[in-house]
Structures are given as structure tokens and as C-alpha cells.
Amino acid sequence: MKTDSIVTASTLRRLACATSALLLGALSTGCIAGPGSDAGDEETVGYAADALSGYYQWIRRTTTNTAGYDMGLTSAGTCVLSGVAGKLDMGFQWYTSDRESRAAVERSGGHNWLFAYGGAYHSNSAPYHLYNPVLAQATCFPDTTNVQLGTWEASTSSTTLAAPVKIADLDPNHLRQCFLSEIRSVQEAFDQITEFGRVKEYTTTDTWHPTTGWYLEGSLYASSWDSSTPNLGATCIDFPSGSVITTGYVGTLGDTVTETITSGTGIKACGLTHVGGTFTDYDWDDGVFIDMPATLDGQWTMTVMTGKGGHWACVK
């Protein structure tokens, strides 16, 4: 059994650690900063399931750190977003040192990397960090078959939607699932309840989706400040024969809600396919989160804060 937890010294006093009775046998849960914690600028937390399941979950939250955290080899697994939180309505991209705010999983150099960053603007040829808190959470599946990646970028117009981008065909075996893997956001994005980014399967055609398949799309526009454009990324995985995929939605305009999104016995894992709503608060705890269970074959839950919503997909 392996558990990884890497945190800065300033966070240790406020970490709440949870472990289950299965520490003796199967699953352990790492440390996670409790709500309202006064954690330092950078924190990376690893959750780990043992090799029997192969599922891992990671959290990274920063304001100014542009570096990614290495979650392991792409040959061993495929990682996708399972949580996004913080302030995503700021960021720039046109000048040399501009930076978008970012919550992302990236496959690079044979490794899976997790990024969370609050954005910056160009100042004297160097990035001036915006000090926005951004959290990214990832689930890593022990599956690597036919991994397909796709990206979408908003139109440079602040009033015109960009067309959806087809990133994968339908799977006749119904074993393909696509997940969000990246959100790059800019000034004025994710500041309205109607804004979203998603990857979605279309089994019929229409004007926006001329052929069937998986499409990456968003209700997001360029910034009226400087025409910086939000970007989305998605990752598709073909799961093994016998896998069962379920999907659903959790959202709220009122109080925070937590819902159980899996059922039955057996090992499961989940990721996000849609993130929407207002991400305007300076708060790492204000977002959309999918959390793993305390027991190996327990149930996954999804917590959504006010003014937000998310679609999920789980694989068993």
C-alpha cells in the first residue's frame, strides 16, 4: 500500500487526516486541508488506493506556483479532473508574461502532471502574480487504452460562441468515456451562472454537432478587456470489457449540497465531464469536488457549492 502526501510546513498545523479501518488491508486516505484552513500558498496532497485497485486521487492548490506536480507515469494510468475550486474569473494571455488561471491535468514527457495556478499579467517583462487561489483535483484511472486528447478555445469575440470541437468518435462497445482535463480561464470567465465548460457525447446530429461523437464545448467568451480567451481540455479513455459507466449531475443555487454518486459493491472511480457556474471567490473550498470513499468498494460523493454545477462520470 502506498500513500503520498506532500505539503508545505505552514500547512501542517491545520491538516485534518482521515484514515479508514482498511488501513490494515486495502485503502488509505491522505491528509487534506480542512475548510477554512490558513494553509500556505502551495499544497499538494496525495490520496492513494493500493495496487489492487490502481485508482489514485490527488489535490493541488496554489496561487503563484506555475509548476506541475508529478502524479506518475502515463504508461501506468490516465488522470482527469475530479475537482475545481477557487477564483477562475481572472487571468490574461496576450503578453509574454501573461498567464491564465489554470486547473489542469497534463500528459507530458511520459508523466501525468497536476496544475493549479491563479494567473498573472505582464509587468516589466515578468509575470506579476494575481494571487488568486485555484484548486485542481485529479482522479487517476489504471487504464491507458486508446487515450485521446482534445482542446477547445473560445472565440476572440466577447459576444460570439466558438463552435464545439469533436475529439473522439462514438465507441460501438459503449466503453469510451471522456472527461474534462483542463480549464484555462481569463478575466470575466466563469463569473456568470450560465457559463460552463464540458465534454459531451452526442448520439444524434445537429447544426453544432454535424456528426456523432464526443465534443468539447463551452459557454465561455473572450474577455472584453483584452480579448484573452478561455481554453478547455478533455481526455477520453476506452475502459475494459465489463466496465459499467454511469453519469449524472449535481448543482445548487442555494446551500452547499453533497450527493452520493455511486452505488453497489465493487471498486469505482469518478471524474468531471462538466463544470459550470460562478468561480469568483478567493476560497479554495468554494467549488465542485468529487471525493473518493473511505473504504475500497465504498461510494463516491460529489460536493457542490452555491452557484455551481457539475456533471460526473463513474466507472465500475
Side-chain angles (χ1 to χ4, degrees):
M1 177 167 55
K2 176 185 177 184
T3 302
D4 295 291
S5 179
I6 299 177
V7 296
T8 56
S10 62
T11 68
L12 294 176
R13 293 188 303 274
R14 295 298 298 272
L15 290 178
C17 294
T19 55
S20 76
L22 287 189
L23 278 172
L24 296 176
L27 179 70
S28 69
T29 306
C31 299
I32 181 169
S37 71
D38 56 358
D41 172 61
E42 180 181 356
E43 177 181 302
T44 300
V45 179
Y47 294 114
D50 73 359
L52 178 64
S53 68
Y55 294 111
Y56 288 80
Q57 193 173 56
W58 303 87
I59 296 174
R60 182 167 177 81
R61 64 188 209 179
T62 82
T63 60
T64 63
N65 194 324
T66 60
Y69 182 78
D70 187 353
M71 296 183 291
L73 295 172
T74 55
S75 59
T78 307
C79 302
V80 302
L81 285 176
S82 56
V84 177
K87 189 170 176 62
L88 294 175
D89 65 336
M90 294 186 72
F92 304 93
Q93 64 184 189
W94 289 118
Y95 293 98
T96 304
S97 298
D98 282 349
R99 300 286 187 275
E100 304 101 328
S101 55
R102 187 184 189 199
V105 172
E106 181 178 306
R107 294 165 63 88
S108 178
H111 288 251
N112 292 297
W113 301 89
L114 182 61
F115 293 86
Y117 177 60
Y121 67 85
H122 182 88
S123 177
N124 296 321
S125 300
Y128 182 86
H129 300 297
L130 299 176
Y131 293 93
N132 294 316
V134 173
L135 178 147
Q137 181 171 298
T139 296
C140 298
F141 296 89
D143 301 282
T144 59
T145 301
N146 196 25
V147 173
Q148 300 179 65
L149 309 178
T151 60
W152 175 91
E153 183 174 6
S155 165
T156 54
S157 167
S158 61
T159 59
T160 303
L161 276 180
V165 175
K166 184 176 179 178
I167 62 172
D169 291 324
L170 297 179
D171 174 23
N173 298 314
H174 305 290
L175 294 171
R176 179 169 301 148
Q177 179 62 51
C178 300
F179 301 88
L180 284 177
S181 55
E182 180 168 31
I183 296 173
R184 287 181 182 259
S185 194
V186 299
Q187 195 80 10
E188 301 173 332
F190 287 103
D191 65 353
Q192 302 291 326
I193 193 70
T194 56
E195 294 183 324
F196 65 82
R198 72 184 179 196
V199 59
K200 184 176 179 180
E201 182 183 30
Y202 286 87
T203 58
T204 59
T205 62
D206 57 37
T207 302
W208 284 96
H209 312 93
T211 62
T212 60
W214 289 89
Y215 284 82
L216 186 56
E217 57 193 3
S219 177
L220 297 166
Y221 300 86
S223 169
S224 64
W225 287 48
D226 64 355
S227 296
S228 291
T229 51
N231 289 253
L232 303 170
T235 299
C236 302
I237 310 167
D238 286 1
F239 288 95
S241 177
S243 299
V244 177
I245 300 172
T246 55
T247 62
Y249 173 79
V250 180
T252 178
L253 296 176
D255 295 336
T256 297
V257 297
T258 298
E259 294 186 10
T260 301
I261 59 175
T262 59
S263 62
T265 59
I267 299 168
K268 320 160 191 77
C270 307
L272 289 168
T273 62
H274 171 125
V275 170
T278 55
F279 289 78
T280 57
D281 290 342
Y282 291 89
D283 187 352
W284 278 312
D285 296 320
D286 187 28
V288 175
F289 309 91
I290 298 176
D291 291 315
M292 67 187 298
T295 58
L296 184 62
D297 63 349
Q299 308 309 327
W300 290 61
T301 60
M302 185 165 176
T303 298
V304 178
M305 307 303 178
T306 185
K308 299 171 183 63
H311 288 259
W312 52 266
C314 297
V315 183
K316 176 179 175 181

